[in-house]
Amino acid sequence: MEWRLVKELLTENAGSEEVDESRAVSAPYLHHLKDRLHMRSLQIKDRVHNYIKSHYHDFFNIISVAFHASNEVQTISQKLHQIFDKLSDGYKDLEIPIDSQLCRLAAERASVKKDLCEKEEARRLVLTISDYVKRLENARINVEQGHLIQAARALQELRIALRVSQTWTQDELRVSSDLLQPQAFTLLKIEWASCFSKLQELLEDLFNIAIRVDNDHTKLCVDLHLECEKLPASFGGIDLASVLMAMEIVGILDAGFARLADSLIKYIIIPIIHNSSINIISDESVKNKPVLSQDLPSGIQTEGVSPEALYSKLLHVLKFVYQYICFEKGIWMKLIGRLIWPKLSEAIITNCLAKAVPDEVSEVTEFQMVVKLTRDFEHELKDMALISSSDDKDDRLSNFALNIEIHFASKKKNYILATVRKLIVQSNFKVLLAVELLFWPSTLAVSLAAKQLMEIVHEALKDACSSPRQIALEFYHAVRDALLLYRAIVPVKLAKELNTLSQVAIIVHNDCLYLAQEILGLAFEYRESLPNELKENFVFVDLAPLFHQLAEQMLNHQVAVVLSGLKEAVVSLENARLLWQPLLQKTIYKKAMQCILQHFFACVGSEILMLDDMSVEETLQLRKLVQTALGNMSSLLKSVIDDEMRLRVSGERFEKDDNDSQILWDQFEKLIPSLHKLRRITDLLDMSLKSITLSWESGELIVSGFNSLEVQKLVRAIFSDTTLRRECLKRIENTEFILSENNSKQAAVSRGSRQEGAKQQNDIKFIIYYY
């Protein structure tokens, strides 16, 4: 450290020359060092002198405080020596040391101080209880003398001081919640509850006297200045405003206003809303006794009321409440509003605004006047503070009125569905109309209900084309739901008729075909006229297959009924023809009847081939019976062929052997393969054994649908057991293996036809539609 200082002083003189620590310092350097040290010390002295001079007052204060403190320490030390000397002189003869005596005195002092604190707390407690008792007594006196506001404030302050909850009960007051709480406080709470109950009972009686609905429930009477037998006669009565203020202070005004709100809704507001003939009159002729009354001229009952008239009457009622019950205090009116507005707004919407919703699209713009009236009405309510001016949730009426498009569309949709439901349920499906099909060049007999349903659909879609997006969308959904109603209701409503051979089932089938084709044309007819936002979603094509499926189910079930009836001999094919042919579309009728005849002739042929041991006479009778039956089915068979062929052979008997008859039979056999086999069976019944054998060997019978077992069984049934029969049976059994290639192909085709015929006989789920 010292060398660093010396080096610094030497360096200042040597300039940039480095000073070597190992080199001895010369005399000039030492003299120079001495001078430098002397100058440095002078500089330091000057600095210290200047600092002290500039901070003279600070140093003076520090030194003065230190001096006085030193003197006080000396004084205290002297006094302590004096005290110890006196104590030592006084307790020289005692055995207890001075320090123990001091500790004992300190403990005694603490005990005395604790006792004093407890007594002070007890004194303050007594003063507090005394104050509470005095305040309770004053409150009781105020209640008795009618100073209700003062009494209410005192009891409210005491409730807080005594820590009584807002939802107190007598049992809770009797059981102290704090085990350390003095019993006196429990007694004070009980006394407080007693005084509060008296005040509450008095206030409620005054409220019920001041605001009441008369026995006829037509007048709301208000007494602004009250006199009560429970109040001293010298008091001179009390104002209703004071009663309400006292009720507000003690927290029972909510309950009073709740009863008032119920009475207003039940006896004043609801009758006004339901009967437009009621007039509202306020009578202020008697001082301090305003009356709001209903006037119904001559007992007239008129359902419904216009929004303008209703709002005027309601404002009359609410302004009366605002002026004479709430005394134009917003906080009280707000309280009544919270109680009355939900029910009031719901009643207005249900019984007025909802009924004012237009029935036609053209009337929607006219509803804007109702929107304006509704906004003005709610603005008046906000000025009276009945509803909040900042909370949009209270604008219930305006919100409903502004959504008129949604409400109109919903109303229209409900009307459409109700109309369609009524139409379908009440229809007997016996009134028929001929309609043109869109995609088939023919007419069809349908029910009046189906025709009217489509008229409703077209009317709704026309309205949709001229409506805003939201309304058009609801119309679209209404149309879809209306069409689906037919599909849902009709099968259930007509379940009994559909399970029998009936005209109703065919009409429903035609209805479904008609509706399906109309549905397919809806998009083409209306899509371009719809709002642009709906063109993509305007889809009905998904409904058409549902009605096609229902139509198919109807007819397939009728076919199944006919086939089942044939087995039980309860249904005639001619009855089915007479019922179906005038109603069904030609192509559908032909396919359905062909399926039935195919099954019928196959069954008859199978029954004949199942017979055993027929005599010659029986064989001829059977052949004649089949031919006669086929001849009697002329009208039925003609109904399944083309009109041109039917006209060509009109009036001719089938047994007539000419070219036209043969052409007709060929046409029948082509459409109904089992008929060809049945006719071949009748031929076999009149043929010799050799002829039958040759026909089998030639392949004719195979082409006609016979197999080897069927031919052998027929031979055994017709011819007796002889050597010739056994030879022919053997030839028939082995003929299949010696057929030519052409005959083999024909046999293969015939076997395929027989398999197809068997499948048609066993399957009655006829798929006869090709859309």
Side-chain angles (χ1 to χ4, degrees), residues 724-742:
L724 178 61
R725 192 183 79 167
R726 288 194 294 273
E727 180 182 350
C728 290
L729 289 174
K730 187 174 183 180
R731 289 170 58 186
I732 292 171
E733 181 179 3
N734 297 325
T735 300
E736 187 176 354
F737 300 99
I738 60 175
L739 288 175
S740 65
E741 182 177 354
N742 291 336

PDB file of all heavy atoms in Angstrom, residues 724-742:
ATOM      1  N   LEU A 724     -96.938-102.723 -72.880  1.00  0.00           N
ATOM      2  CA  LEU A 724     -96.701-101.533 -73.686  1.00  0.00           C
ATOM      3  C   LEU A 724     -96.381-100.324 -72.796  1.00  0.00           C
ATOM      4  O   LEU A 724     -95.492 -99.535 -73.102  1.00  0.00           O
ATOM      5  CB  LEU A 724     -97.927-101.250 -74.558  1.00  0.00           C
ATOM      6  CG  LEU A 724     -97.848 -99.995 -75.442  1.00  0.00           C
ATOM      7  CD1 LEU A 724     -96.679-100.119 -76.427  1.00  0.00           C
ATOM      8  CD2 LEU A 724     -99.172 -99.791 -76.199  1.00  0.00           C
ATOM      9  N   ARG A 725     -97.133-100.198 -71.678  1.00  0.00           N
ATOM     10  CA  ARG A 725     -96.879 -99.047 -70.800  1.00  0.00           C
ATOM     11  C   ARG A 725     -95.487 -99.103 -70.198  1.00  0.00           C
ATOM     12  O   ARG A 725     -94.780 -98.095 -70.093  1.00  0.00           O
ATOM     13  CB  ARG A 725     -97.922 -98.995 -69.672  1.00  0.00           C
ATOM     14  CG  ARG A 725     -97.901 -97.676 -68.910  1.00  0.00           C
ATOM     15  CD  ARG A 725     -98.862 -97.686 -67.772  1.00  0.00           C
ATOM     16  NE  ARG A 725     -98.302 -98.412 -66.618  1.00  0.00           N
ATOM     17  CZ  ARG A 725     -98.817 -98.378 -65.383  1.00  0.00           C
ATOM     18  NH1 ARG A 725     -99.919 -97.687 -65.156  1.00  0.00           N
ATOM     19  NH2 ARG A 725     -98.269 -99.076 -64.408  1.00  0.00           N
ATOM     20  N   ARG A 726     -95.094-100.398 -69.806  1.00  0.00           N
ATOM     21  CA  ARG A 726     -93.763-100.531 -69.224  1.00  0.00           C
ATOM     22  C   ARG A 726     -92.687-100.208 -70.249  1.00  0.00           C
ATOM     23  O   ARG A 726     -91.683 -99.574 -69.941  1.00  0.00           O
ATOM     24  CB  ARG A 726     -93.574-101.959 -68.691  1.00  0.00           C
ATOM     25  CG  ARG A 726     -94.389-102.206 -67.421  1.00  0.00           C
ATOM     26  CD  ARG A 726     -93.927-103.486 -66.744  1.00  0.00           C
ATOM     27  NE  ARG A 726     -94.220-104.643 -67.557  1.00  0.00           N
ATOM     28  CZ  ARG A 726     -95.367-105.335 -67.552  1.00  0.00           C
ATOM     29  NH1 ARG A 726     -96.341-104.969 -66.747  1.00  0.00           N
ATOM     30  NH2 ARG A 726     -95.542-106.387 -68.330  1.00  0.00           N
ATOM     31  N   GLU A 727     -92.934-100.604 -71.501  1.00  0.00           N
ATOM     32  CA  GLU A 727     -91.961-100.301 -72.550  1.00  0.00           C
ATOM     33  C   GLU A 727     -91.868 -98.789 -72.813  1.00  0.00           C
ATOM     34  O   GLU A 727     -90.774 -98.237 -72.946  1.00  0.00           O
ATOM     35  CB  GLU A 727     -92.361-101.046 -73.829  1.00  0.00           C
ATOM     36  CG  GLU A 727     -91.388-100.792 -74.993  1.00  0.00           C
ATOM     37  CD  GLU A 727     -91.839-101.504 -76.272  1.00  0.00           C
ATOM     38  OE1 GLU A 727     -92.771-102.323 -76.195  1.00  0.00           O
ATOM     39  OE2 GLU A 727     -91.254-101.203 -77.314  1.00  0.00           O
ATOM     40  N   CYS A 728     -93.050 -98.167 -72.855  1.00  0.00           N
ATOM     41  CA  CYS A 728     -93.065 -96.709 -73.099  1.00  0.00           C
ATOM     42  C   CYS A 728     -92.410 -95.949 -71.943  1.00  0.00           C
ATOM     43  O   CYS A 728     -91.684 -94.971 -72.159  1.00  0.00           O
ATOM     44  CB  CYS A 728     -94.498 -96.239 -73.316  1.00  0.00           C
ATOM     45  SG  CYS A 728     -95.220 -96.802 -74.883  1.00  0.00           S
ATOM     46  N   LEU A 729     -92.685 -96.400 -70.714  1.00  0.00           N
ATOM     47  CA  LEU A 729     -92.064 -95.727 -69.554  1.00  0.00           C
ATOM     48  C   LEU A 729     -90.555 -95.845 -69.594  1.00  0.00           C
ATOM     49  O   LEU A 729     -89.828 -94.891 -69.254  1.00  0.00           O
ATOM     50  CB  LEU A 729     -92.611 -96.320 -68.249  1.00  0.00           C
ATOM     51  CG  LEU A 729     -94.067 -95.975 -67.914  1.00  0.00           C
ATOM     52  CD1 LEU A 729     -94.529 -96.753 -66.680  1.00  0.00           C
ATOM     53  CD2 LEU A 729     -94.209 -94.484 -67.682  1.00  0.00           C
ATOM     54  N   LYS A 730     -90.095 -97.032 -70.040  1.00  0.00           N
ATOM     55  CA  LYS A 730     -88.646 -97.205 -70.131  1.00  0.00           C
ATOM     56  C   LYS A 730     -88.050 -96.311 -71.202  1.00  0.00           C
ATOM     57  O   LYS A 730     -86.971 -95.717 -71.016  1.00  0.00           O
ATOM     58  CB  LYS A 730     -88.351 -98.674 -70.413  1.00  0.00           C
ATOM     59  CG  LYS A 730     -86.868 -99.007 -70.359  1.00  0.00           C
ATOM     60  CD  LYS A 730     -86.659-100.505 -70.505  1.00  0.00           C
ATOM     61  CE  LYS A 730     -85.174-100.848 -70.382  1.00  0.00           C
ATOM     62  NZ  LYS A 730     -84.957-102.316 -70.531  1.00  0.00           N
ATOM     63  N   ARG A 731     -88.750 -96.193 -72.337  1.00  0.00           N
ATOM     64  CA  ARG A 731     -88.275 -95.312 -73.400  1.00  0.00           C
ATOM     65  C   ARG A 731     -88.252 -93.840 -72.936  1.00  0.00           C
ATOM     66  O   ARG A 731     -87.325 -93.097 -73.229  1.00  0.00           O
ATOM     67  CB  ARG A 731     -89.179 -95.463 -74.633  1.00  0.00           C
ATOM     68  CG  ARG A 731     -89.009 -96.799 -75.354  1.00  0.00           C
ATOM     69  CD  ARG A 731     -90.083 -96.998 -76.394  1.00  0.00           C
ATOM     70  NE  ARG A 731     -90.071 -95.916 -77.392  1.00  0.00           N
ATOM     71  CZ  ARG A 731     -91.005 -95.825 -78.344  1.00  0.00           C
ATOM     72  NH1 ARG A 731     -91.999 -96.688 -78.397  1.00  0.00           N
ATOM     73  NH2 ARG A 731     -90.932 -94.840 -79.212  1.00  0.00           N
ATOM     74  N   ILE A 732     -89.319 -93.473 -72.183  1.00  0.00           N
ATOM     75  CA  ILE A 732     -89.372 -92.084 -71.676  1.00  0.00           C
ATOM     76  C   ILE A 732     -88.232 -91.826 -70.701  1.00  0.00           C
ATOM     77  O   ILE A 732     -87.597 -90.756 -70.722  1.00  0.00           O
ATOM     78  CB  ILE A 732     -90.732 -91.834 -71.007  1.00  0.00           C
ATOM     79  CG1 ILE A 732     -91.851 -91.836 -72.048  1.00  0.00           C
ATOM     80  CG2 ILE A 732     -90.719 -90.486 -70.250  1.00  0.00           C
ATOM     81  CD1 ILE A 732     -93.244 -91.801 -71.461  1.00  0.00           C
ATOM     82  N   GLU A 733     -87.953 -92.817 -69.882  1.00  0.00           N
ATOM     83  CA  GLU A 733     -86.893 -92.641 -68.880  1.00  0.00           C
ATOM     84  C   GLU A 733     -85.534 -92.509 -69.526  1.00  0.00           C
ATOM     85  O   GLU A 733     -84.669 -91.752 -69.033  1.00  0.00           O
ATOM     86  CB  GLU A 733     -86.918 -93.832 -67.925  1.00  0.00           C
ATOM     87  CG  GLU A 733     -85.880 -93.751 -66.815  1.00  0.00           C
ATOM     88  CD  GLU A 733     -85.958 -94.917 -65.880  1.00  0.00           C
ATOM     89  OE1 GLU A 733     -86.785 -95.821 -66.112  1.00  0.00           O
ATOM     90  OE2 GLU A 733     -85.177 -94.956 -64.896  1.00  0.00           O
ATOM     91  N   ASN A 734     -85.318 -93.207 -70.669  1.00  0.00           N
ATOM     92  CA  ASN A 734     -83.998 -93.210 -71.276  1.00  0.00           C
ATOM     93  C   ASN A 734     -83.889 -92.247 -72.466  1.00  0.00           C
ATOM     94  O   ASN A 734     -82.804 -92.123 -73.024  1.00  0.00           O
ATOM     95  CB  ASN A 734     -83.664 -94.624 -71.769  1.00  0.00           C
ATOM     96  CG  ASN A 734     -83.588 -95.608 -70.619  1.00  0.00           C
ATOM     97  OD1 ASN A 734     -83.146 -95.261 -69.518  1.00  0.00           O
ATOM     98  ND2 ASN A 734     -84.044 -96.839 -70.846  1.00  0.00           N
ATOM     99  N   THR A 735     -84.929 -91.592 -72.820  1.00  0.00           N
ATOM    100  CA  THR A 735     -84.901 -90.762 -74.013  1.00  0.00           C
ATOM    101  C   THR A 735     -83.956 -89.583 -73.863  1.00  0.00           C
ATOM    102  O   THR A 735     -83.331 -89.153 -74.825  1.00  0.00           O
ATOM    103  CB  THR A 735     -86.317 -90.242 -74.336  1.00  0.00           C
ATOM    104  OG1 THR A 735     -87.177 -91.346 -74.558  1.00  0.00           O
ATOM    105  CG2 THR A 735     -86.290 -89.333 -75.555  1.00  0.00           C
ATOM    106  N   GLU A 736     -83.803 -89.107 -72.699  1.00  0.00           N
ATOM    107  CA  GLU A 736     -83.001 -87.916 -72.486  1.00  0.00           C
ATOM    108  C   GLU A 736     -81.560 -88.088 -72.930  1.00  0.00           C
ATOM    109  O   GLU A 736     -80.923 -87.135 -73.353  1.00  0.00           O
ATOM    110  CB  GLU A 736     -83.038 -87.549 -71.001  1.00  0.00           C
ATOM    111  CG  GLU A 736     -82.369 -86.230 -70.692  1.00  0.00           C
ATOM    112  CD  GLU A 736     -82.516 -85.850 -69.226  1.00  0.00           C
ATOM    113  OE1 GLU A 736     -83.227 -86.558 -68.488  1.00  0.00           O
ATOM    114  OE2 GLU A 736     -81.932 -84.812 -68.840  1.00  0.00           O
ATOM    115  N   PHE A 737     -81.098 -89.348 -72.915  1.00  0.00           N
ATOM    116  CA  PHE A 737     -79.696 -89.598 -73.242  1.00  0.00           C
ATOM    117  C   PHE A 737     -79.469 -89.783 -74.736  1.00  0.00           C
ATOM    118  O   PHE A 737     -78.320 -89.845 -75.166  1.00  0.00           O
ATOM    119  CB  PHE A 737     -79.194 -90.845 -72.507  1.00  0.00           C
ATOM    120  CG  PHE A 737     -79.302 -90.711 -71.016  1.00  0.00           C
ATOM    121  CD1 PHE A 737     -80.368 -91.274 -70.329  1.00  0.00           C
ATOM    122  CD2 PHE A 737     -78.344 -90.011 -70.312  1.00  0.00           C
ATOM    123  CE1 PHE A 737     -80.466 -91.132 -68.958  1.00  0.00           C
ATOM    124  CE2 PHE A 737     -78.428 -89.875 -68.941  1.00  0.00           C
ATOM    125  CZ  PHE A 737     -79.507 -90.429 -68.261  1.00  0.00           C
ATOM    126  N   ILE A 738     -80.524 -89.818 -75.502  1.00  0.00           N
ATOM    127  CA  ILE A 738     -80.337 -90.027 -76.935  1.00  0.00           C
ATOM    128  C   ILE A 738     -80.878 -88.860 -77.743  1.00  0.00           C
ATOM    129  O   ILE A 738     -81.041 -88.961 -78.948  1.00  0.00           O
ATOM    130  CB  ILE A 738     -81.034 -91.332 -77.394  1.00  0.00           C
ATOM    131  CG1 ILE A 738     -82.543 -91.251 -77.108  1.00  0.00           C
ATOM    132  CG2 ILE A 738     -80.412 -92.543 -76.731  1.00  0.00           C
ATOM    133  CD1 ILE A 738     -83.313 -92.475 -77.652  1.00  0.00           C
ATOM    134  N   LEU A 739     -81.117 -87.748 -77.077  1.00  0.00           N
ATOM    135  CA  LEU A 739     -81.594 -86.571 -77.802  1.00  0.00           C
ATOM    136  C   LEU A 739     -80.483 -86.003 -78.671  1.00  0.00           C
ATOM    137  O   LEU A 739     -79.302 -86.117 -78.347  1.00  0.00           O
ATOM    138  CB  LEU A 739     -82.071 -85.507 -76.830  1.00  0.00           C
ATOM    139  CG  LEU A 739     -83.398 -85.791 -76.093  1.00  0.00           C
ATOM    140  CD1 LEU A 739     -83.644 -84.698 -75.081  1.00  0.00           C
ATOM    141  CD2 LEU A 739     -84.548 -85.892 -77.068  1.00  0.00           C
ATOM    142  N   SER A 740     -80.883 -85.370 -79.751  1.00  0.00           N
ATOM    143  CA  SER A 740     -79.916 -84.693 -80.607  1.00  0.00           C
ATOM    144  C   SER A 740     -79.399 -83.449 -79.905  1.00  0.00           C
ATOM    145  O   SER A 740     -79.900 -83.015 -78.881  1.00  0.00           O
ATOM    146  CB  SER A 740     -80.580 -84.316 -81.938  1.00  0.00           C
ATOM    147  OG  SER A 740     -81.601 -83.363 -81.702  1.00  0.00           O
ATOM    148  N   GLU A 741     -78.360 -82.867 -80.509  1.00  0.00           N
ATOM    149  CA  GLU A 741     -77.774 -81.666 -79.899  1.00  0.00           C
ATOM    150  C   GLU A 741     -78.783 -80.528 -79.825  1.00  0.00           C
ATOM    151  O   GLU A 741     -78.870 -79.825 -78.837  1.00  0.00           O
ATOM    152  CB  GLU A 741     -76.552 -81.248 -80.707  1.00  0.00           C
ATOM    153  CG  GLU A 741     -75.839 -80.039 -80.112  1.00  0.00           C
ATOM    154  CD  GLU A 741     -74.581 -79.693 -80.903  1.00  0.00           C
ATOM    155  OE1 GLU A 741     -74.230 -80.454 -81.818  1.00  0.00           O
ATOM    156  OE2 GLU A 741     -73.990 -78.650 -80.592  1.00  0.00           O
ATOM    157  N   ASN A 742     -79.578 -80.382 -80.891  1.00  0.00           N
ATOM    158  CA  ASN A 742     -80.582 -79.326 -80.892  1.00  0.00           C
ATOM    159  C   ASN A 742     -81.628 -79.545 -79.821  1.00  0.00           C
ATOM    160  O   ASN A 742     -82.034 -78.629 -79.113  1.00  0.00           O
ATOM    161  CB  ASN A 742     -81.263 -79.239 -82.262  1.00  0.00           C
ATOM    162  CG  ASN A 742     -80.313 -78.720 -83.341  1.00  0.00           C
ATOM    163  OD1 ASN A 742     -79.350 -78.026 -83.016  1.00  0.00           O
ATOM    164  ND2 ASN A 742     -80.589 -79.069 -84.583  1.00  0.00           N
TER     165      ASN A 742
END
